[in-house]
Amino acid sequence: MLRTVSWLLRTGAYVFIGVKTFTHPPAGTAPLVWAVAAYVLSSLALLLWGLTEARGDEAAHSLRLLLGAAAVLAGYASAAPHAESLIGLSLAFVMQLGTQASLAVGWATAGCTVAAVEAGVLANGAGREIALGYPVLVVAVLIASHNRRAWRVRAEQSATLLAQTELLRAEQRQVAVLDERTRIAREIHDVLAHSLGALSIQIQAAEVLLTDHQDIDRAVTVLAGARRLTADGLTETRRAVHALRSSLAPLDEELATLANTHRQRHGVPVRLTVEGAPFALSADQALPLLRTAQEALTNAAKHASAQPVEITLTYEDDHVTLAVDNPLSQRAADRPEFATLNGGYGLTGMRERLLLLGGTLDAGAWDGRWRVCAEVPR
């Protein structure tokens, strides 16, 4: 729209200059010829200007040459009597070149136009107002064109910066979505690994009761617990996804619930000890510790099923430590580090999650006990 208005104004000015110039044409053959030549060349320059602008190639070399020639010729012809309005064409072309071309091209065109005006003044005996006034106008228009050029450069840079900012925001949103998907996938994996591991233990216990002891009643009870465990696993999966988008209960409360569930499910003592002054943890900090405790309890149920478990949560000034340990059974004494129910990668996955937070995870045997110890910075 703005470009259309600009071209309407240019066309109107061109027609007005032609009417004003040739209604009362310059006296003498030579001034009239120069005026007609300047007007015709200006019309060609305007035509090429419009075509190149429509193609988006405003910096075309042929356009610069034609605009410069038209500016010089119109400047020379404007010094003739009754042809003063032709200086308007020179000013329009100088403005365009000063805005679109380099500084050297703009100043060269302006200098040649001023020289042509002064030559026309000498050839036609024009007055002092033309000899001094027109060069001042040309220089003023050139300076204005440079300011316009600087404004356009700033506008283009701002537009480019805005586009880059929008692109960066779009990429950040995409990264956030991918990160959220990764976190959800990781949580679902951890919850399912814990639930399926515990379910495997219940099914194995039922199998032993049926095959070795022929105790159908106890086997049915164990299978009923396995069925409940399946439902609890689905509920825990939904809860894990919800926890990623909302706040968890305090970690000590979550661990107390986990300890109570393990106690009821496996019939072994589980003691939770909280040391230090508790403080709030983000979901990113609390969830890895909670999943580490789940994985450690699942491993304890498999490898030391009859042994009591101790969970110690320690709040210190700059970090939080979670320790889960139980006495080693003869079966567990020779098991490799990080051996878990999901192929040996459960605690390894927990360790990787903690490393992303700047935390640590260690697991191994100490003084006849198996201990899993996780730590996250505050």
Side-chain angles (χ1 to χ4, degrees), residues 275-346:
E275 300 177 352
F279 51 79
L281 296 173
S282 67
D284 288 338
Q285 294 172 307
L287 279 172
L289 293 177
L290 183 61
R291 300 300 174 229
T292 299
Q294 287 179 325
E295 182 71 17
L297 289 173
T298 301
N299 286 340
K302 179 179 180 181
H303 298 287
S305 57
Q307 303 299 326
V309 181
E310 294 186 5
I311 303 174
T312 305
L313 180 64
T314 305
Y315 291 92
E316 300 190 29
D317 293 338
D318 55 354
H319 64 273
V320 180
T321 302
L322 171 72
V324 181
D325 64 307
N326 56 270
L328 284 172
S329 64
Q330 185 63 35
R331 180 182 179 187
D334 298 327
R335 79 182 165 98
E337 188 174 356
F338 295 120
T340 60
L341 294 170
N342 58 349
Y345 295 103

Side-chain angles (χ1 to χ4, degrees), residues 51-332:
L51 291 175
T52 54
E53 191 171 287
R55 294 198 306 265
D57 186 21
E58 298 180 18
H61 183 66
S62 57
L63 175 62
R64 294 178 181 178
L65 292 176
L66 190 56
L67 290 179
V72 172
L73 187 57
Y76 177 82
S78 67
H82 307 295
E84 295 85 355
S85 58
L86 291 174
I87 193 63
L89 297 175
S90 295
L91 297 179
F93 298 144
V94 169
M95 172 66 79
Q96 176 65 10
L97 290 173
T99 301
Q100 297 294 339
S102 64
L103 295 179
V105 172
W107 280 101
T109 303
C112 292
T113 301
V114 169
V117 169
E118 297 302 334
V121 169
L122 294 176
N124 295 284
R128 179 191 254 171
E129 64 277 3
I130 292 178
L132 297 179
Y134 283 7
V136 171
L137 280 176
V138 171
V139 173
V141 166
L142 181 64
I143 294 174
S145 70
H146 288 336
N147 291 334
R148 183 185 176 202
R149 175 190 179 90
W151 178 83
R152 290 187 61 173
V153 169
R154 288 196 297 270
E156 291 173 357
Q157 290 175 344
S158 298
T160 302
L161 182 61
L162 181 60
Q164 292 175 346
T165 301
E166 290 299 326
L167 179 61
L168 179 60
R169 289 176 179 173
E171 292 177 349
Q172 288 176 337
R173 287 192 293 268
Q174 184 177 7
V175 169
V177 170
L178 294 176
D179 183 62
E180 178 72 3
R181 290 177 181 176
T182 301
R183 293 174 61 205
I184 291 175
R186 186 186 297 122
E187 282 302 312
I188 292 176
H189 167 272
D190 294 340
V191 172
L192 290 180
H194 166 73
S195 300
L196 293 176
L199 181 62
S200 174
I201 294 173
Q202 296 282 49
I203 293 175
Q204 291 176 50
E207 183 181 6
V208 169
L209 290 172
L210 289 173
T211 58
D212 296 347
H213 302 285
Q214 305 296 320
D215 192 340
I216 297 177
D217 292 336
R218 289 183 61 192
V220 169
T221 301
V222 171
L223 289 175
R227 185 175 64 251
R228 289 193 300 272
L229 184 61
T230 303
D232 292 343
L234 293 174
T235 301
E236 182 66 18
T237 301
R238 298 189 189 98
R239 180 171 173 269
V241 175
H242 176 72
L244 290 172
R245 297 184 171 92
S246 60
S247 58
L248 286 171
L251 183 58
D252 53 348
E253 296 180 12
E254 295 284 350
L255 291 175
T257 301
L258 184 63
N260 185 57
T261 300
H262 187 84
R263 185 184 304 113
Q264 295 176 354
R265 184 175 295 161
H266 300 286
V268 296
V270 181
R271 184 175 67 179
L272 172 65
T273 303
V274 179
E275 300 177 352
F279 51 79
L281 296 173
S282 67
D284 288 338
Q285 294 172 307
L287 279 172
L289 293 177
L290 183 61
R291 300 300 174 229
T292 299
Q294 287 179 325
E295 182 71 17
L297 289 173
T298 301
N299 286 340
K302 179 179 180 181
H303 298 287
S305 57
Q307 303 299 326
V309 181
E310 294 186 5
I311 303 174
T312 305
L313 180 64
T314 305
Y315 291 92
E316 300 190 29
D317 293 338
D318 55 354
H319 64 273
V320 180
T321 302
L322 171 72
V324 181
D325 64 307
N326 56 270
L328 284 172
S329 64
Q330 185 63 35
R331 180 182 179 187

Side-chain angles (χ1 to χ4, degrees), residues 23 71 92 171 337 358 369 376:
T23 300
E171 292 177 349
E337 188 174 356
R369 300 180 68 84
V376 295

Side-chain angles (χ1 to χ4, degrees), residues 10-23:
R10 290 166 188 161
T11 303
Y14 173 76
V15 172
F16 173 78
I17 291 172
V19 171
K20 190 174 186 310
T21 300
F22 298 110
T23 300

